[in-house]
Amino acid sequence: MISSAGEYGKDDAEAATRLIAYAFRPRVLPHRDAEYAALVRRFDEEPAFEELVRRSATGLGLQVLGVTMRAGSVIVPVPGSVFETRLDNYARQVRQSHHREAERVLHGIVHLAIAALCFPRPEDLLDDSYVGAVTPAVVDKHVRHTCQELAKRSAEADENSDAPVQAPELERAWRAYARRSEAGETTSGQVAPTTTEAIIGKALRYLVDKGLLHESENLELASKVYRTTGRYQLQVRELAAVEAYRELLLLGVVPPADSAGSLRVTSDDGTLY
């Protein structure tokens, strides 16, 4: 326990770093680990311990997004941190240097689209009990819908030079995505890495590996369904401040609102309606 004077002991420092370390074990959650749960309670109940965790994280080049029983310890690297995963490295699919920028943009827009589809309304991000869901086909469908919208707006802007430029970041991405094949195979029968099927699959697998999505089978949809976790909700709250995310929402990249097409999870067993 930290003293009333706010002095940190060795045990406190060790406890703070253990809580930070749990953030790198995304499949471990407080309700399954007694020590983890105790550290989360300390973070919630002891302001001095919370400060120690945040300061320790800052010294490592990390930012604490939140610590809760549902999400666990959610910590992300700040720009330039040794822990940072750069999109250039993540999206390195094509060796030709003149294609690298296009690949980076394509992978980035897919991650934005997944987040926007999972949390299409501000209240979804604020409701800690909310669980969103997507399928690979829905992600591709709605990104291609966005491509069509941007193509239409670009054509209208060309006709009217006084028209304001809309969604500038996405404007640079739609042509590259629209030109990509949805699916395809290599000569060895593997999914071609440059197709949108491969790009979306890579993004969803990455989010599952990081404990941000749960993967399950849905026989009715004949597809895998990816449901959000508390960790992902906290991260998307941070992402919601990014202009490109807001642009996607404004362009209508959200699940269908009718009862036949919505992908919103409504029960603990993952039933979709």
Side-chain angles (χ1 to χ4, degrees), residues 18-19 89 97 131 134 156 172 207 224 246 254 266:
R18 281 205 309 273
L19 184 56
N89 295 329
S97 60
V131 178
V134 293
E156 291 173 351
R172 295 193 294 269
L207 294 172
K224 290 182 178 179
R246 295 195 295 270
V254 295
T266 59

Side-chain angles (χ1 to χ4, degrees), residues 90-105:
Y90 168 89
R92 189 167 293 158
Q93 302 281 346
V94 180
R95 294 191 178 277
Q96 295 92 327
S97 60
H98 61 285
H99 286 159
R100 286 179 183 167
E101 177 62 19
E103 292 300 312
R104 186 186 69 81
V105 171

Side-chain angles (χ1 to χ4, degrees), residues 167-224:
E169 291 190 40
L170 299 183
E171 192 76 40
R172 295 193 294 269
W174 70 266
R175 287 188 176 89
Y177 195 99
R179 286 196 298 264
R180 288 298 175 94
S181 298
E182 179 180 349
E185 294 183 351
T186 64
T187 54
S188 62
Q190 301 296 314
V191 175
T194 55
T195 62
T196 58
E197 177 186 10
I199 293 171
I200 293 168
K202 179 181 176 68
L204 292 171
R205 289 192 301 273
Y206 176 85
L207 294 172
V208 170
D209 289 344
K210 296 297 183 181
L212 303 175
L213 295 178
H214 288 311
E215 179 184 2
S216 61
E217 294 284 348
N218 187 288
L219 298 179
E220 184 178 344
L221 295 175
S223 172
K224 290 182 178 179

Side-chain angles (χ1 to χ4, degrees), residues 18-260:
R18 281 205 309 273
L19 184 56
I20 292 171
Y22 271 114
F24 295 91
R25 300 170 62 191
R27 296 183 184 276
V28 179
L29 293 173
H31 70 271
R32 299 173 183 168
D33 187 297
E35 180 189 45
Y36 196 176
L39 290 170
V40 171
R41 282 192 292 271
R42 281 197 68 182
F43 184 92
D44 186 52
E45 297 169 1
E46 299 178 30
F49 183 68
E50 176 187 350
E51 180 188 9
L52 177 58
V53 172
R54 292 187 182 277
R55 290 177 63 177
S56 299
T58 298
L60 291 169
L62 300 167
Q63 177 189 358
V64 179
L65 294 185
V67 177
T68 69
M69 283 294 179
R70 177 174 179 245
S73 177
V74 184
I75 295 175
V76 296
V78 300
S81 167
V82 67
F83 297 101
E84 184 180 22
T85 300
R86 297 188 62 82
L87 191 55
D88 289 340
N89 295 329
Y90 168 89
R92 189 167 293 158
Q93 302 281 346
V94 180
R95 294 191 178 277
Q96 295 92 327
S97 60
H98 61 285
H99 286 159
R100 286 179 183 167
E101 177 62 19
E103 292 300 312
R104 186 186 69 81
V105 171
L106 287 173
H107 284 272
I109 199 171
V110 163
H111 273 278
L112 284 171
I114 292 170
L117 284 162
C118 286
F119 301 100
R121 305 174 304 174
E123 53 264 40
D124 300 332
L125 283 173
L126 296 174
D127 181 359
D128 289 338
S129 65
Y130 177 84
V131 178
V134 293
T135 67
V138 165
V139 176
D140 190 66
K141 171 185 174 182
H142 285 280
V143 176
R144 290 188 184 278
H145 166 71
T146 302
C147 294
Q148 294 170 359
E149 279 294 308
L150 288 168
K152 179 181 176 181
R153 294 185 185 198
S154 179
E156 291 173 351
D158 288 341
E159 293 175 2
N160 180 8
S161 59
D162 295 329
V165 176
Q166 298 292 332
E169 291 190 40
L170 299 183
E171 192 76 40
R172 295 193 294 269
W174 70 266
R175 287 188 176 89
Y177 195 99
R179 286 196 298 264
R180 288 298 175 94
S181 298
E182 179 180 349
E185 294 183 351
T186 64
T187 54
S188 62
Q190 301 296 314
V191 175
T194 55
T195 62
T196 58
E197 177 186 10
I199 293 171
I200 293 168
K202 179 181 176 68
L204 292 171
R205 289 192 301 273
Y206 176 85
L207 294 172
V208 170
D209 289 344
K210 296 297 183 181
L212 303 175
L213 295 178
H214 288 311
E215 179 184 2
S216 61
E217 294 284 348
N218 187 288
L219 298 179
E220 184 178 344
L221 295 175
S223 172
K224 290 182 178 179
V225 175
Y226 297 83
R227 295 180 293 166
T228 61
T229 66
R231 295 175 64 85
Y232 193 44
Q233 187 178 47
L234 287 177
Q235 292 208 9
V236 176
R237 282 177 188 171
E238 190 78 6
L239 177 66
V242 177
E243 183 64 26
Y245 178 88
R246 295 195 295 270
E247 288 168 354
L248 277 171
L249 295 182
L250 291 172
L251 285 165
V253 183
V254 295
D258 61 280
S259 60

